[in-house]
Amino acid sequence: MRILDFYIGKILVRHIVVTIMVLLGLFTFVSFIDELSNLDKGSYGILEVFQYVLLLIPKTLYEVFPMAALIGSILGLSTLARDSELIVMRAAGVSILRIVLSVVKVGIIMAFVAMILGEVVSPYTQTKAEQVKLGAIQSNIRQKDDFGVWMRDENTYVNIGEVLPNLTLLNIKIFEFDERNFLRFLSTAEEGEYQLDKRRWLLKGLSRTMIDDNSSAADEVSAAYWTTGVDPNILRVFQIDPEQLSLWQLDKYIDHLGSNKQDTRSYELVFWSKVITPFATIVMLILAVPFVFKESRSGNLGRSLFFGIMIGLSFFIMNKAFGYFVALFSIPPMLGAALPTLIVSLLSIILIRRII
């Protein structure tokens, strides 16, 4: 049976890889066309667009992995059915459940690859992609992995430790220089909130130190206004994207946001999506088996491919749409992330029971 597992696995992996290449080409091309709308903003040129799009490929691959697994496995099994190899396997005494088991073994390997993409590769490359884009568009603002956001506002340099989802700023440091580039004031604040009606920032827990040539003096106040040209909408792009975090980082960051009384639902949704995606990949592979066996009996394998593509696209769209449903209808994030996979799992069980 190891020979059977290896043979089926080789066929499935070959077709899944081909499907991945086609889907990646399509989605990357669409992403490139969409990104051209930002061309020539700041120093964001065509080379930066190419670099940004290429760095997003692992993220795109992670998102389309379950769909590629379904379409590729249908193609692979359809090839076996077309060449009557599935009939030979069944005539040799191999049950449908045994073929499903061979497919599941391939699914476990694919799930492991998906986990590596989601936990290691995609967070790193997506972070680099955003740094390339933002560094080119906002030349006066830089984001460093360990030192927060740095920006320049005339003779003032500002360091922001973190931008929370509601655009509250944490751990703010303001360095004010005179015309001779000598540091004259150093201000630190625990928190900053933007007052929309006054169009300025309210700094809380503020400590301000005046520095002259011979000495320095510090003052501490509970709160003070900070007038600056820094627009909160600019800072929105420096919020931590949940997809840039691994599972353990997401878990810690969700606790951190909760302690700061922030809405954590979007982060919890991504957390549970990362947990479920490897299982979704296995389920998609299993779903291909009843499709191919059912249609091979009627001699219409093309229809199985069509329905497989439709289910794959529906699954992809549902995963995206449930993010909005979680926010609009207060659906528990775990349920929102799991429901598309649960629906496909139920469909797989029903279809497999019909062909056994």
Side-chain angles (χ1 to χ4, degrees):
M1 288 300 178
R2 289 185 179 179
I3 296 176
L4 178 67
D5 293 337
F6 178 79
Y7 183 73
I8 293 177
K10 182 180 66 174
I11 297 295
L12 292 184
V13 169
R14 181 193 305 161
H15 285 83
I16 289 172
V17 169
V18 171
T19 305
I20 284 173
M21 298 304 293
V22 172
L23 291 176
L24 271 184
L26 176 62
F27 279 84
T28 301
F29 178 73
V30 172
S31 178
F32 175 76
I33 297 299
D34 182 61
E35 203 58 33
L36 290 178
S37 62
N38 295 315
L39 200 63
D40 295 331
K41 289 183 180 179
S43 59
Y44 194 56
I46 192 68
L47 291 178
E48 286 76 19
V49 171
F50 272 114
Q51 189 176 359
Y52 176 77
V53 171
L54 289 175
L55 285 170
L56 284 184
I57 285 179
K59 174 179 178 289
T60 305
L61 175 57
Y62 181 70
E63 291 177 343
V64 304
F65 213 83
M67 179 169 59
L70 174 61
I71 298 173
S73 57
I74 289 178
L75 284 171
L77 292 173
S78 296
T79 300
L80 294 175
R82 183 195 62 198
D83 297 336
S84 301
E85 292 178 90
L86 288 181
I87 296 176
V88 172
M89 292 178 192
R90 297 285 288 122
V94 179
S95 67
I96 293 178
L97 289 179
R98 184 61 187 81
I99 295 174
V100 170
L101 180 59
S102 297
V103 172
V104 168
K105 291 179 180 179
V106 178
I108 292 173
I109 297 174
M110 294 292 104
F112 180 75
V113 174
M115 186 174 63
I116 295 297
L117 276 173
E119 287 297 290
V120 180
V121 182
S122 178
Y124 176 78
T125 56
Q126 187 178 354
T127 300
K128 293 300 179 184
E130 296 300 334
Q131 289 176 352
V132 168
K133 181 176 180 178
L134 296 175
I137 293 178
Q138 299 292 337
S139 58
N140 64 327
I141 302 178
R142 290 288 185 272
Q143 185 175 26
K144 301 297 182 181
D145 294 340
D146 299 327
F147 303 102
V149 178
W150 282 93
M151 63 186 69
R152 180 178 179 179
D153 185 11
E154 296 181 352
N155 290 331
T156 301
Y157 292 83
V158 182
N159 174 240
I160 300 171
E162 184 180 348
V163 182
L164 293 177
N166 66 350
L167 296 182
T168 296
L169 311 181
L170 298 181
N171 302 323
I172 306 164
K173 297 182 179 66
I174 305 172
F175 304 86
E176 301 176 55
F177 292 81
D178 60 18
E179 61 278 358
R180 297 177 298 169
N181 290 327
F182 290 157
L183 180 62
R184 290 308 182 194
F185 293 95
L186 171 61
S187 304
T188 61
E190 297 175 0
E191 184 179 307
E193 294 181 358
Y194 190 73
Q195 307 289 309
L196 187 60
D197 55 338
K198 297 181 174 60
R199 294 186 179 277
R200 54 186 177 179
W201 293 88
L202 177 63
L203 302 182
K204 301 178 181 179
L206 179 65
S207 175
R208 183 173 172 84
T209 302
M210 183 179 68
I211 304 171
D212 58 27
D213 295 334
N214 300 315
S215 62
S216 62
D219 294 320
E220 293 189 7
V221 294
S222 59
Y225 285 111
W226 173 39
T227 303
T228 177
V230 177
D231 191 319
N233 289 322
I234 294 176
L235 294 176
R236 190 181 301 277
V237 298
F238 291 99
Q239 294 174 342
I240 294 179
D241 188 339
E243 295 180 353
Q244 295 176 238
L245 303 177
S246 63
L247 277 174
W248 71 271
Q249 289 173 327
L250 269 171
D251 185 51
K252 290 177 62 178
Y253 193 61
I254 288 169
D255 290 340
H256 169 67
L257 291 179
S259 65
N260 283 279
K261 300 179 181 179
Q262 301 292 302
D263 186 358
T264 63
R265 286 177 296 176
S266 62
Y267 292 83
E268 291 180 55
L269 180 67
V270 174
F271 175 86
W272 288 111
S273 295
K274 283 179 174 285
V275 171
I276 291 167
T277 293
F279 298 100
T281 303
I282 297 174
V283 170
M284 287 297 196
L285 280 159
I286 296 173
L287 181 60
V289 176
F291 264 107
V292 172
F293 270 98
K294 183 176 181 297
E295 299 300 337
S296 64
R297 291 173 180 175
S298 61
N300 195 352
L301 292 172
R303 190 167 62 179
S304 69
L305 179 60
F306 172 77
F307 282 119
I309 293 174
M310 290 299 101
I311 290 177
L313 286 174
S314 300
F315 180 83
F316 180 81
I317 293 170
M318 278 195 297
N319 268 335
K320 293 290 185 181
F322 269 89
Y324 299 102
F325 294 157
V326 166
L328 290 175
F329 303 110
S330 299
I331 298 174
M334 183 174 68
L335 178 61
L339 196 55
T341 302
L342 290 175
I343 293 173
V344 175
S345 300
L346 182 60
L347 179 62
S348 300
I349 294 171
I350 293 173
L351 292 178
I352 287 176
R353 286 177 62 89
R354 288 184 175 182
I355 64 173
I356 294 178

Coordinates of all heavy atoms in Angstrom, one line a residue, residues 115-191:
M115 N 1.1 25.6 7.0 CA 1.4 26.0 8.3 C 2.7 26.8 8.3 O 2.9 27.9 8.9 CB 1.5 24.9 9.3 CG 1.7 25.3 10.8 SD 1.5 23.9 11.9 CE 2.9 22.9 11.4
I116 N 3.7 26.3 7.6 CA 5.0 27.0 7.5 C 4.9 28.3 6.8 O 5.4 29.3 7.2 CB 6.0 26.1 6.7 CG1 6.3 24.8 7.5 CG2 7.3 26.9 6.5 CD1 7.0 25.0 8.9
L117 N 4.0 28.3 5.7 CA 3.8 29.6 5.0 C 3.1 30.6 5.9 O 3.6 31.8 6.0 CB 2.9 29.3 3.8 CG 3.5 28.8 2.5 CD1 2.4 28.5 1.5 CD2 4.4 29.9 1.9
G118 N 2.1 30.2 6.7 CA 1.4 31.1 7.5 C 2.1 31.6 8.8 O 1.9 32.7 9.2
E119 N 3.0 30.7 9.3 CA 3.7 31.0 10.5 C 5.1 31.7 10.4 O 5.5 32.4 11.2 CB 3.8 29.8 11.4 CG 2.5 29.3 12.0 CD 1.9 30.3 12.9 OE1 2.5 30.5 14.0 OE2 0.9 30.9 12.6
V120 N 5.7 31.3 9.3 CA 7.1 31.8 9.1 C 7.3 32.7 7.9 O 7.8 33.8 8.1 CB 8.1 30.5 9.0 CG1 9.5 31.0 8.9 CG2 7.9 29.6 10.2
V121 N 7.0 32.2 6.8 CA 7.3 32.9 5.5 C 6.5 34.1 5.3 O 7.0 35.2 5.1 CB 7.2 31.9 4.3 CG1 7.7 32.7 3.0 CG2 8.1 30.7 4.5
S122 N 5.1 34.0 5.3 CA 4.2 35.1 5.0 C 4.3 36.2 5.9 O 4.4 37.4 5.5 CB 2.8 34.5 4.9 OG 1.9 35.6 4.7
P123 N 4.4 36.1 7.3 CA 4.5 37.2 8.1 C 5.8 38.0 7.9 O 5.8 39.3 7.9 CB 4.6 36.6 9.5 CG 3.8 35.3 9.4 CD 4.2 34.8 8.0
Y124 N 6.9 37.4 7.6 CA 8.2 38.1 7.3 C 8.1 38.8 6.0 O 8.4 40.0 6.0 CB 9.3 37.0 7.3 CG 10.6 37.6 7.0 CD1 11.4 38.3 7.9 CD2 11.2 37.5 5.7 CE1 12.6 38.9 7.6 CE2 12.4 38.1 5.3 CZ 13.1 38.8 6.3 OH 14.3 39.3 6.0
T125 N 7.7 38.2 4.9 CA 7.7 38.8 3.6 C 6.7 40.0 3.5 O 6.9 41.0 2.9 CB 7.5 37.8 2.5 OG1 6.2 37.1 2.7 CG2 8.6 36.8 2.4
Q126 N 5.5 39.8 4.2 CA 4.5 40.8 4.2 C 5.0 42.1 4.9 O 4.7 43.2 4.5 CB 3.2 40.3 4.8 CG 2.0 41.3 4.6 CD 0.7 40.8 5.2 OE1 0.6 39.6 5.6 NE2 -0.3 41.6 5.2
T127 N 5.7 41.9 6.1 CA 6.2 43.0 6.8 C 7.2 43.7 5.9 O 7.2 45.0 5.9 CB 6.9 42.5 8.1 OG1 5.9 41.8 8.9 CG2 7.5 43.7 8.8
K128 N 8.1 43.0 5.2 CA 9.1 43.7 4.4 C 8.4 44.4 3.2 O 8.8 45.5 2.8 CB 10.0 42.6 3.8 CG 10.9 42.0 4.8 CD 11.8 43.0 5.5 CE 12.7 42.4 6.6 NZ 13.5 43.4 7.3
A129 N 7.3 43.8 2.7 CA 6.6 44.4 1.6 C 6.0 45.8 2.0 O 6.1 46.8 1.3 CB 5.5 43.5 1.1
E130 N 5.4 45.8 3.2 CA 4.8 47.0 3.7 C 5.9 48.1 4.0 O 5.6 49.3 3.8 CB 4.0 46.8 5.0 CG 2.8 45.9 4.8 CD 1.8 46.4 3.8 OE1 1.7 47.7 3.6 OE2 1.1 45.6 3.2
Q131 N 7.0 47.7 4.5 CA 8.1 48.6 4.7 C 8.6 49.2 3.4 O 8.9 50.4 3.4 CB 9.2 47.9 5.5 CG 8.9 47.6 6.9 CD 10.0 46.8 7.6 OE1 11.0 46.4 6.9 NE2 9.9 46.6 8.9
V132 N 8.7 48.4 2.4 CA 9.1 48.9 1.0 C 8.1 50.0 0.6 O 8.5 51.1 0.1 CB 9.2 47.8 0.0 CG1 9.3 48.3 -1.4 CG2 10.4 46.9 0.3
K133 N 6.8 49.7 0.7 CA 5.8 50.6 0.1 C 5.7 51.9 0.9 O 5.7 53.0 0.4 CB 4.4 49.8 0.1 CG 3.3 50.7 -0.4 CD 2.0 49.9 -0.5 CE 0.8 50.7 -1.0 NZ -0.4 49.9 -1.1
L134 N 5.6 51.7 2.3 CA 5.4 52.9 3.1 C 6.7 53.8 3.1 O 6.6 55.0 3.2 CB 5.1 52.5 4.5 CG 3.7 51.7 4.7 CD1 3.5 51.3 6.1 CD2 2.6 52.6 4.2
G135 N 7.9 53.1 3.1 CA 9.1 53.9 3.0 C 9.2 54.7 1.8 O 9.8 55.8 1.8
A136 N 8.6 54.3 0.7 CA 8.7 55.0 -0.6 C 7.6 56.1 -0.6 O 7.9 57.2 -1.1 CB 8.5 54.1 -1.8
I137 N 6.4 55.8 -0.2 CA 5.3 56.7 -0.2 C 5.5 57.8 0.8 O 5.3 59.0 0.5 CB 4.0 56.0 -0.1 CG1 3.7 55.1 -1.3 CG2 2.8 57.0 0.0 CD1 2.4 54.3 -1.2
Q138 N 5.8 57.5 2.0 CA 6.0 58.5 3.1 C 7.4 58.6 3.4 O 8.0 57.9 4.3 CB 5.1 58.0 4.3 CG 3.7 57.9 4.1 CD 3.0 59.3 3.9 OE1 3.6 60.3 4.2 NE2 1.9 59.3 3.2
S139 N 8.1 59.4 2.7 CA 9.6 59.5 2.9 C 10.0 60.1 4.2 O 11.1 59.9 4.7 CB 10.2 60.3 1.7 OG 9.6 61.6 1.7
N140 N 9.1 60.9 4.9 CA 9.4 61.5 6.1 C 9.0 60.6 7.3 O 9.1 61.0 8.5 CB 8.7 62.8 6.3 CG 7.2 62.7 6.3 OD1 6.7 61.9 5.6 ND2 6.6 63.6 7.0
I141 N 8.5 59.4 7.0 CA 8.1 58.5 8.1 C 8.7 57.1 7.9 O 8.8 56.6 6.7 CB 6.6 58.3 8.1 CG1 5.9 59.7 8.3 CG2 6.1 57.4 9.2 CD1 4.4 59.6 8.3
R142 N 9.3 56.6 8.9 CA 9.9 55.2 8.8 C 9.4 54.4 10.0 O 9.2 54.9 11.1 CB 11.5 55.4 8.9 CG 12.1 56.0 7.7 CD 12.0 55.0 6.5 NE 12.8 55.6 5.3 CZ 12.2 56.3 4.4 NH1 10.9 56.7 4.5 NH2 12.9 56.8 3.4
Q143 N 9.3 53.1 9.7 CA 8.9 52.1 10.7 C 10.0 51.1 10.9 O 10.4 50.5 9.9 CB 7.6 51.4 10.3 CG 7.1 50.5 11.4 CD 5.8 49.9 11.1 OE1 5.4 49.7 9.9 NE2 5.0 49.5 12.1
K144 N 10.5 51.0 12.1 CA 11.5 50.1 12.4 C 10.9 49.0 13.3 O 10.1 49.2 14.2 CB 12.7 50.8 13.2 CG 13.4 51.9 12.4 CD 14.0 51.4 11.2 CE 14.7 52.5 10.4 NZ 15.3 52.0 9.2
D145 N 11.4 47.8 13.1 CA 10.8 46.6 13.7 C 10.8 46.7 15.3 O 9.9 46.4 16.0 CB 11.5 45.3 13.3 CG 11.3 45.0 11.9 OD1 10.3 45.5 11.3 OD2 12.1 44.3 11.3
D146 N 12.0 47.2 15.8 CA 12.2 47.2 17.2 C 12.0 48.6 17.9 O 12.0 48.8 19.1 CB 13.6 46.7 17.6 CG 13.7 45.3 17.1 OD1 12.8 44.5 17.1 OD2 14.9 44.9 16.7
F147 N 11.9 49.7 17.0 CA 11.9 51.0 17.6 C 10.7 51.8 17.1 O 10.7 53.0 17.2 CB 13.2 51.7 17.2 CG 14.4 51.0 17.6 CD1 15.2 50.3 16.7 CD2 14.8 51.1 18.9 CE1 16.3 49.6 17.1 CE2 16.0 50.4 19.3 CZ 16.7 49.7 18.4
G148 N 9.6 51.2 16.8 CA 8.3 51.9 16.4 C 8.4 52.7 15.2 O 9.2 52.4 14.3
V149 N 7.6 53.7 15.2 CA 7.5 54.6 14.0 C 8.3 55.9 14.3 O 8.1 56.6 15.3 CB 6.0 55.0 13.7 CG1 5.9 55.9 12.5 CG2 5.2 53.7 13.5
W150 N 9.1 56.3 13.3 CA 9.8 57.6 13.4 C 9.3 58.5 12.3 O 9.1 58.1 11.2 CB 11.3 57.3 13.2 CG 12.0 56.8 14.4 CD1 12.3 55.5 14.7 CD2 12.6 57.6 15.4 NE1 12.9 55.4 15.9 CE2 13.2 56.6 16.4 CE3 12.7 58.9 15.7 CZ2 13.8 57.1 17.5 CZ3 13.4 59.3 16.9 CH2 13.9 58.4 17.8
M151 N 9.1 59.8 12.6 CA 8.7 60.7 11.6 C 9.3 62.1 11.9 O 9.8 62.4 13.0 CB 7.2 60.8 11.6 CG 6.6 61.4 12.9 SD 4.8 61.3 12.9 CE 4.5 59.6 13.0
R152 N 9.3 62.9 10.9 CA 9.9 64.2 11.0 C 8.8 65.3 10.7 O 8.1 65.1 9.6 CB 11.1 64.4 10.1 CG 11.7 65.8 10.1 CD 12.9 65.9 9.2 NE 13.5 67.3 9.3 CZ 14.6 67.7 8.6 NH1 15.2 66.8 7.8 NH2 15.0 68.9 8.8
D153 N 8.7 66.3 11.5 CA 7.8 67.4 11.3 C 8.5 68.7 11.5 O 8.7 69.2 12.6 CB 6.6 67.3 12.3 CG 5.5 68.3 12.0 OD1 5.6 69.0 11.0 OD2 4.6 68.5 12.9
E154 N 9.1 69.2 10.4 CA 10.0 70.4 10.4 C 11.2 70.1 11.2 O 11.9 69.1 10.9 CB 9.2 71.6 10.8 CG 8.1 72.0 9.8 CD 7.4 73.2 10.3 OE1 7.6 73.7 11.4 OE2 6.5 73.7 9.5
N155 N 11.4 70.8 12.3 CA 12.6 70.6 13.2 C 12.3 69.7 14.4 O 13.0 69.6 15.3 CB 13.1 71.9 13.8 CG 13.7 72.8 12.7 OD1 14.2 72.3 11.7 ND2 13.6 74.1 12.9
T156 N 11.2 68.9 14.3 CA 10.8 68.0 15.3 C 10.8 66.6 14.8 O 10.3 66.3 13.7 CB 9.4 68.4 15.8 OG1 9.3 69.7 16.3 CG2 8.9 67.4 16.9
Y157 N 11.4 65.7 15.6 CA 11.4 64.3 15.3 C 10.6 63.6 16.4 O 10.7 63.9 17.6 CB 12.9 63.8 15.4 CG 13.7 64.3 14.2 CD1 14.4 65.5 14.4 CD2 13.9 63.5 13.1 CE1 15.2 66.0 13.3 CE2 14.7 64.0 12.0 CZ 15.3 65.3 12.2 OH 16.1 65.7 11.1
V158 N 9.7 62.7 15.9 CA 8.8 62.0 16.8 C 9.0 60.5 16.7 O 9.1 59.9 15.6 CB 7.3 62.4 16.4 CG1 6.4 61.7 17.4 CG2 7.2 63.9 16.4
N159 N 9.0 59.8 17.8 CA 9.0 58.4 17.9 C 7.8 57.9 18.6 O 7.5 58.3 19.7 CB 10.3 57.9 18.6 CG 10.3 56.4 18.8 OD1 10.3 55.9 19.9 ND2 10.2 55.6 17.7
I160 N 7.0 57.0 17.9 CA 5.8 56.4 18.4 C 6.0 54.9 18.6 O 6.3 54.2 17.7 CB 4.6 56.7 17.5 CG1 4.4 58.2 17.3 CG2 3.3 56.0 18.0 CD1 3.4 58.5 16.2
G161 N 5.9 54.5 19.8 CA 6.1 53.1 20.1 C 5.1 52.1 19.5 O 5.5 51.1 19.0
E162 N 3.8 52.6 19.4 CA 2.8 51.7 18.9 C 1.6 52.5 18.5 O 1.2 53.5 19.2 CB 2.4 50.6 19.9 CG 1.4 49.6 19.5 CD 1.1 48.6 20.5 OE1 1.8 48.5 21.6 OE2 0.1 47.8 20.4
V163 N 0.9 52.0 17.4 CA -0.3 52.6 17.0 C -1.4 51.6 17.2 O -1.4 50.5 16.5 CB -0.3 53.1 15.5 CG1 -1.6 53.7 15.1 CG2 0.9 54.0 15.2
L164 N -2.4 51.8 18.1 CA -3.4 50.9 18.4 C -4.5 50.9 17.3 O -4.6 51.9 16.6 CB -4.0 51.2 19.8 CG -3.1 50.9 21.0 CD1 -3.8 51.3 22.3 CD2 -2.6 49.5 21.0
P165 N -5.4 49.9 17.3 CA -6.4 49.9 16.2 C -7.3 51.1 16.2 O -7.8 51.5 15.1 CB -7.2 48.6 16.6 CG -6.2 47.7 17.2 CD -5.3 48.6 18.0
N166 N -7.6 51.8 17.3 CA -8.4 53.0 17.4 C -7.6 54.2 17.2 O -8.1 55.3 17.4 CB -9.2 53.0 18.6 CG -8.3 53.3 19.9 OD1 -7.1 53.2 19.8 ND2 -9.0 53.6 21.0
L167 N -6.3 54.1 16.7 CA -5.4 55.2 16.4 C -4.9 55.9 17.7 O -4.4 57.0 17.6 CB -6.0 56.2 15.5 CG -6.3 55.6 14.1 CD1 -6.9 56.7 13.2 CD2 -5.1 55.0 13.4
T168 N -5.1 55.3 18.8 CA -4.4 55.8 20.0 C -2.9 55.5 19.9 O -2.5 54.4 19.5 CB -5.0 55.1 21.3 OG1 -6.3 55.5 21.4 CG2 -4.2 55.5 22.5
L169 N -2.1 56.4 20.3 CA -0.6 56.3 20.2 C -0.1 56.0 21.6 O -0.5 56.5 22.6 CB 0.0 57.6 19.7 CG -0.5 58.2 18.4 CD1 0.2 59.4 18.0 CD2 -0.6 57.1 17.3
L170 N 0.9 55.1 21.7 CA 1.5 54.7 23.0 C 3.0 55.0 22.9 O 3.6 54.9 21.9 CB 1.3 53.2 23.3 CG -0.1 52.7 23.4 CD1 -0.1 51.2 23.7 CD2 -0.9 53.5 24.5
N171 N 3.5 55.3 24.1 CA 5.0 55.5 24.2 C 5.5 56.5 23.2 O 6.3 56.2 22.3 CB 5.7 54.2 24.2 CG 5.2 53.2 25.2 OD1 4.9 53.6 26.3 ND2 5.2 51.9 24.8
I172 N 5.2 57.8 23.4 CA 5.5 58.8 22.4 C 6.7 59.6 23.0 O 6.8 59.9 24.1 CB 4.4 59.8 22.2 CG1 3.1 59.0 21.8 CG2 4.7 60.9 21.2 CD1 1.8 59.8 22.0
K173 N 7.7 59.8 22.1 CA 8.9 60.7 22.4 C 9.0 61.7 21.3 O 8.9 61.4 20.1 CB 10.2 59.8 22.4 CG 10.2 58.8 23.5 CD 11.5 58.0 23.5 CE 11.6 57.0 24.6 NZ 10.6 55.9 24.3
I174 N 9.1 63.0 21.7 CA 9.2 64.1 20.8 C 10.5 64.9 21.0 O 10.8 65.4 22.2 CB 8.0 65.1 21.0 CG1 6.7 64.3 20.9 CG2 8.1 66.2 20.0 CD1 5.4 65.2 21.2
F175 N 11.3 65.0 20.0 CA 12.6 65.6 20.1 C 12.5 66.9 19.3 O 12.3 66.9 18.0 CB 13.7 64.7 19.5 CG 13.8 63.4 20.2 CD1 13.0 62.3 19.7 CD2 14.7 63.2 21.2 CE1 13.1 61.1 20.3 CE2 14.8 61.9 21.8 CZ 14.0 60.9 21.4
E176 N 12.7 68.1 19.9 CA 12.6 69.4 19.3 C 14.0 70.0 19.2 O 14.6 70.2 20.2 CB 11.6 70.3 20.0 CG 10.2 69.7 20.1 CD 9.3 70.6 20.9 OE1 9.2 71.8 20.6 OE2 8.7 70.1 21.9
F177 N 14.4 70.4 17.9 CA 15.7 70.9 17.7 C 15.5 72.4 17.3 O 14.5 72.8 16.7 CB 16.4 70.2 16.6 CG 16.8 68.8 17.0 CD1 15.9 67.7 16.9 CD2 18.1 68.5 17.4 CE1 16.2 66.4 17.3 CE2 18.5 67.2 17.7 CZ 17.5 66.2 17.7
D178 N 16.6 73.2 17.6 CA 16.5 74.6 17.1 C 17.1 74.7 15.7 O 17.5 73.7 15.1 CB 17.3 75.5 18.1 CG 18.7 75.1 18.3 OD1 19.3 74.4 17.4 OD2 19.3 75.5 19.3
E179 N 17.3 75.9 15.2 CA 17.8 76.1 13.9 C 19.2 75.7 13.7 O 19.7 75.5 12.6 CB 17.6 77.6 13.5 CG 18.4 78.6 14.3 CD 17.6 78.9 15.6 OE1 16.5 78.4 15.8 OE2 18.2 79.7 16.4
R180 N 19.9 75.6 14.8 CA 21.3 75.1 14.8 C 21.4 73.6 14.9 O 22.5 73.0 15.1 CB 22.2 75.8 15.9 CG 22.3 77.3 15.7 CD 23.1 77.9 16.9 NE 22.4 77.6 18.2 CZ 22.9 77.9 19.4 NH1 24.2 78.3 19.4 NH2 22.2 77.6 20.5
N181 N 20.3 72.9 14.9 CA 20.2 71.5 15.1 C 20.7 71.0 16.5 O 21.2 69.9 16.6 CB 21.0 70.7 14.0 CG 20.3 70.9 12.6 OD1 19.1 70.9 12.5 ND2 21.2 70.9 11.6
F182 N 20.5 71.9 17.5 CA 20.7 71.5 18.9 C 19.4 71.1 19.5 O 18.4 71.7 19.3 CB 21.3 72.6 19.7 CG 22.7 73.0 19.3 CD1 23.3 74.2 19.5 CD2 23.5 72.0 18.6 CE1 24.6 74.5 19.1 CE2 24.8 72.3 18.3 CZ 25.4 73.6 18.5
L183 N 19.4 70.0 20.3 CA 18.3 69.5 21.0 C 17.9 70.4 22.1 O 18.7 70.7 23.0 CB 18.5 68.1 21.5 CG 17.3 67.4 22.3 CD1 16.1 67.2 21.4 CD2 17.8 66.1 22.9
R184 N 16.6 71.0 22.0 CA 16.2 71.9 23.0 C 15.1 71.4 23.9 O 15.0 71.7 25.1 CB 15.7 73.2 22.4 CG 16.8 74.0 21.7 CD 17.9 74.3 22.7 NE 19.0 75.1 22.1 CZ 20.2 75.2 22.7 NH1 20.5 74.6 23.8 NH2 21.1 76.0 22.2
F185 N 14.2 70.5 23.4 CA 13.1 70.0 24.2 C 13.0 68.5 24.0 O 13.1 68.1 22.8 CB 11.8 70.7 23.9 CG 11.7 72.1 24.3 CD1 12.0 73.1 23.4 CD2 11.4 72.5 25.6 CE1 12.0 74.5 23.7 CE2 11.4 73.8 26.0 CZ 11.7 74.8 25.0
L186 N 12.8 67.8 25.0 CA 12.5 66.3 24.9 C 11.2 66.1 25.7 O 11.2 66.3 26.9 CB 13.7 65.5 25.5 CG 13.4 64.0 25.7 CD1 13.1 63.4 24.3 CD2 14.5 63.3 26.4
S187 N 10.2 65.6 25.0 CA 8.9 65.3 25.6 C 8.6 63.8 25.5 O 8.8 63.2 24.4 CB 7.8 66.1 25.0 OG 8.1 67.5 25.0
T188 N 8.1 63.3 26.6 CA 7.7 61.9 26.5 C 6.2 61.8 27.0 O 5.9 62.5 28.0 CB 8.5 60.9 27.4 OG1 8.5 61.4 28.8 CG2 10.0 61.0 26.9
A189 N 5.4 61.0 26.4 CA 4.0 60.8 26.8 C 3.6 59.3 26.8 O 4.1 58.6 25.9 CB 3.1 61.6 25.9
E190 N 2.8 58.9 27.7 CA 2.4 57.5 27.8 C 1.4 57.2 26.7 O 1.4 56.1 26.2 CB 1.8 57.3 29.2 CG 2.7 57.4 30.3 CD 2.1 57.2 31.7 OE1 0.8 57.0 31.7 OE2 2.7 57.3 32.7
E191 N 0.5 58.2 26.3 CA -0.6 58.0 25.4 C -0.9 59.2 24.7 O -0.8 60.3 25.2 CB -1.8 57.4 26.2 CG -3.0 57.0 25.4 CD -4.1 56.5 26.3 OE1 -3.8 55.6 27.1 OE2 -5.2 57.0 26.2

